[in-house]
Amino acid sequence: MVHKMKNGRVIQLALLVLTLTFGAPSLVTAQVPDLKTGAPIPTLAPLVRRVTPAVVNISVHGRVREDNPLYRDPVFREFFDVPKQIEKEVNATGSGVIVDALRGFVLTNNHVVEGTSTVQVTTKEGRQFSAKVIGRDPPTDVAVLQIQSPVGLKALAFGDSDALEVGDFVLAIGNPFGLGQTVTSGLVSALGRTGLGKQGYEDFIQTDAAINPGNSGGALVSLRGELVGISSAIISPAGGNVGIGFAIPANMARRVMEQIIATGHVERGHIGVSLQDPRLSGARAEGALIAEVLPNSPAEMAGLRKGDIVTMADDRPIRSAAQLRNKVGLARVGQELKLMLHRREGTSIVVVKVAPRMERGAAVISGGFGLTSRRPSAGLAAPNVSAAPAHATDGYLLGSNRAAA
């Protein structure tokens, strides 16, 4: 089950069982400090003392509508004298990260503050502040709060999440089960995780640092003391940590935050291509394969062709179609992207300008193609999420493995 880590909100995913083959273990000699010599004992305490004041507990209060099909039946409502909409009060807790101490901006998850009327932020020292929601972006599950009258706050600096590697040590800091601030440690287990069916834009950092319900919106911190991710989801058969947690990359969260602060919302553009992973066509393992190019699109005008494989964007490696889609979808409209392409005749570099999304009839167009939601595969269920409309822009074409950008 994939759990959104806000108490009372759960998305369940039944996982397929995979057969794993392990090689013979190699012998490793553990290095234990000799306490008799007075050698310093390894500890993360100085780092923890420095970064934890920027991680806050978030308490929310609001009202949400009961989503019961019977309530939409006029005969049922009339017979039982039930109002057209029934709402219930919700009190929940989550986590957040102060990223701007002077202006009081806090990053958290959209699902932590969705549908709330009041938000209270509590620091590690127990100071309480009222906060307002500046803006939310459901496709990335990012929300930005602003603390009212921010005084004496400490912020956490952004790190470069694109520079993370599998095997890097990280700390997860949050408010699991409402217990209060908790620190756990682990490794970056994988990068670029997609296909969880959780958000429209997925590029998750996977970690085995213990993440539990209530950690949503909390910090994933590097050993440099920098924010590299925002905790967002876990996979668990029983609701607790089993060593598979997911965080939104800090670079993605930062781009979303900057647009929300500037305009109150996120404006997404397109370049007019359909993408798929190269391995699906038997080509090279990494990159983003151009499956289709929309006529008269920014991509066509820049010289992109069907069959091109994008290997870098703005001098950053592109590992998958989803990563390039995220890059385009989070770029500002009018921004120019430098793409390195692999073609049969060699390597080329093109510059393409991101254009506003267009509409074709009633369908929303992202990347020049009408997008429908990718339905969960057999054995997967999302009971607390309403069915997506036919024009939902989650970036996948129904019945294919293509993403649009």
Side-chain angles (χ1 to χ4, degrees):
M1 298 184 291
V2 169
H3 294 261
K4 284 184 177 181
M5 288 160 297
K6 177 180 176 181
N7 298 345
R9 299 189 180 182
V10 178
I11 292 182
Q12 299 178 329
L13 289 179
L15 299 179
L16 299 178
V17 178
L18 303 179
T19 302
L20 303 180
T21 302
F22 294 91
S26 58
L27 297 177
V28 179
T29 302
Q31 300 296 317
V32 180
D34 186 352
L35 301 182
K36 295 180 180 179
T37 64
I41 300 174
T43 177
L44 296 176
L47 171 63
V48 170
R49 285 195 297 269
R50 179 159 57 91
V51 300
T52 49
V55 182
V56 296
N57 299 343
I58 294 177
S59 301
V60 299
H61 175 79
R63 301 181 67 86
V64 297
R65 188 178 68 180
E66 289 275 12
D67 188 17
N68 190 318
L70 291 175
Y71 299 157
R72 297 194 291 268
D73 185 341
V75 177
F76 177 87
R77 292 200 310 269
E78 182 178 358
F79 185 81
F80 290 101
D81 192 24
V82 176
K84 188 173 182 179
Q85 290 186 357
I86 297 181
E87 294 183 337
K88 65 177 182 179
E89 291 191 357
V90 173
N91 293 288
T93 59
S95 307
V97 186
I98 301 172
V99 292
D100 187 326
L102 293 179
R103 294 186 291 175
F105 289 128
V106 176
L107 267 178
T108 188
N109 288 146
N110 169 68
H111 72 260
V112 170
V113 298
E114 184 178 14
T116 61
S117 56
T118 61
V119 180
Q120 186 177 70
V121 171
T122 304
T123 66
K124 178 186 176 182
E125 297 80 16
R127 301 169 62 205
Q128 294 184 341
F129 298 87
S130 295
K132 64 177 181 179
V133 179
I134 298 298
R136 302 183 295 109
D137 184 48
T140 56
D141 197 24
V142 171
V144 181
L145 311 179
Q146 187 170 28
I147 293 174
Q148 306 300 294
S149 304
V151 177
L153 301 177
K154 293 184 179 180
L156 195 55
F158 281 100
D160 183 2
S161 56
D162 289 342
L164 283 177
E165 296 185 66
V166 174
D168 286 347
F169 285 101
V170 287
L171 302 179
I173 309 171
N175 178 30
F177 300 106
L179 292 173
Q181 192 177 90
T182 302
V183 181
T184 59
S185 65
L187 298 175
V188 173
S189 306
L191 295 168
R193 284 295 194 218
T194 61
L196 302 181
K198 183 176 185 293
Q199 319 304 340
Y201 288 81
E202 296 184 355
D203 188 26
F204 291 113
I205 302 165
Q206 181 181 327
T207 180
D208 66 351
I211 295 175
N212 289 286
N215 272 93
S216 276
L220 193 70
V221 180
S222 71
L223 294 191
R224 293 186 176 89
E226 298 172 332
L227 180 67
V228 293
I230 300 294
S231 299
S232 181
I234 59 173
I235 288 180
S236 170
N241 172 67
V242 294
I244 306 177
F246 301 96
I248 302 164
N251 289 0
M252 176 188 287
R254 186 176 190 174
R255 288 192 291 268
V256 170
M257 180 192 73
E258 289 171 348
Q259 288 202 50
I260 288 176
I261 291 174
T263 66
H265 65 279
V266 178
E267 182 182 22
R268 291 188 167 86
H270 81 118
I271 59 175
V273 296
S274 177
L275 306 170
Q276 70 180 49
D277 290 331
R279 65 178 180 273
L280 298 176
S281 63
R284 57 189 292 158
E286 291 192 339
L289 174 67
I290 306 295
E292 298 288 345
V293 178
L294 188 72
N296 302 316
S297 65
E300 184 183 63
M301 291 185 285
L304 283 165
R305 303 199 300 254
K306 181 178 179 179
D308 288 344
I309 298 178
V310 180
T311 57
M312 298 191 76
D314 288 343
D315 300 320
R316 295 281 189 176
I318 296 296
R319 298 182 296 269
S320 65
Q323 187 180 6
L324 181 58
R325 175 181 176 269
N326 291 338
K327 178 75 174 178
V328 174
L330 295 173
R332 298 184 306 275
V333 172
Q335 179 179 339
E336 291 185 340
L337 301 176
K338 183 175 72 171
L339 306 179
M340 179 178 288
L341 313 174
H342 177 76
R343 291 171 170 167
R344 289 183 179 180
E345 58 267 30
T347 300
S348 300
I349 294 178
V350 301
V351 177
V352 59
K353 181 177 289 188
V354 178
R357 284 194 305 182
M358 302 178 298
E359 290 189 5
R360 180 186 294 161
V364 175
I365 304 300
S366 177
F369 292 85
L371 300 183
T372 56
S373 63
R374 183 183 59 174
R375 300 187 184 279
S377 57
L380 303 185
N384 291 342
V385 179
S386 57
H391 60 272
T393 57
D394 70 349
Y396 288 88
L397 301 176
L398 187 63
S400 78
N401 291 305
R402 296 180 181 178

